[in-house]
């Protein structure tokens, strides 16, 4: 059914921890998410991890947030929705220990 659609995910490392986005990608791939890109965020001093809904679909963002127990979900839909690289963008912050948000 519609619930089986793969969620595409962009992971951005907002911390100084090298390789964090890549390792986090493996976590999400093991849960069946399609990680389309992972890289460093523009800032390396993000305090709180945030899940950004790019499609106006907070349920999808919630599934991403659940995997790492992240409480912060925001919706930011690009003006040109086709430009969003993924359904959901995950920005990792200092509260993320490599598996869960503290």
């Amino acid at each position: 059914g519609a619930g089986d659609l793969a969620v595409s995910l962009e992971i951005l490392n907002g911390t100084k921890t090298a390789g964090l986005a890549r390792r986090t990608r493996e976590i999400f791939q093991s849960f069946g998410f399609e990680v389309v890109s992972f890289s460093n965020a523009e800032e390396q001093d993000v305090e709180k991890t945030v899940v950004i809904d790019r499609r106006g679909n907070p349920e999808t963002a919630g599934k991403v947030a659940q995997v790492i127990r992240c409480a912060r979900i925001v919706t930011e839909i690009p003006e040109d929705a086709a430009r969003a690289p993924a359904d959901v963008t995950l920005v990792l912050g200092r509260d993320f220990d490599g598996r869960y948000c503290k």
Side-chain angles (χ1 to χ4, degrees):
D4 302 331
L5 288 175
V7 175
S8 64
L9 179 61
E10 172 189 38
I11 300 174
L12 299 177
N13 181 3
T15 75
K16 296 182 176 70
T17 306
L20 189 62
R22 185 179 64 245
R23 291 196 299 275
T24 306
R25 175 187 64 162
E26 293 166 5
I27 295 169
F28 279 96
Q29 285 175 330
S30 74
F31 280 87
F33 291 89
E34 180 196 354
V35 179
V36 293
S37 70
F38 64 97
S39 61
N40 288 329
E42 289 174 19
E43 295 176 53
Q44 254 68 72
D45 197 25
V46 175
E47 191 180 341
K48 298 274 189 192
T49 299
V50 62
V51 177
I52 306 171
D53 158 32
R54 297 295 195 191
R55 303 276 188 241
N57 192 341
E59 294 84 10
T60 300
K63 287 180 191 171
V64 172
Q66 264 182 336
V67 170
I68 58 168
R69 299 181 188 160
C70 174
R72 293 163 66 87
I73 301 172
V74 299
T75 297
E76 287 178 20
I77 303 168
E79 282 184 26
D80 178 1
R83 290 178 59 109
D87 298 333
V88 178
T89 299
L90 171 62
V91 181
L92 301 170
R94 291 201 305 266
D95 62 340
F96 181 67
D97 69 0
R99 182 62 186 90
Y100 297 114
C101 294
K102 289 284 185 250

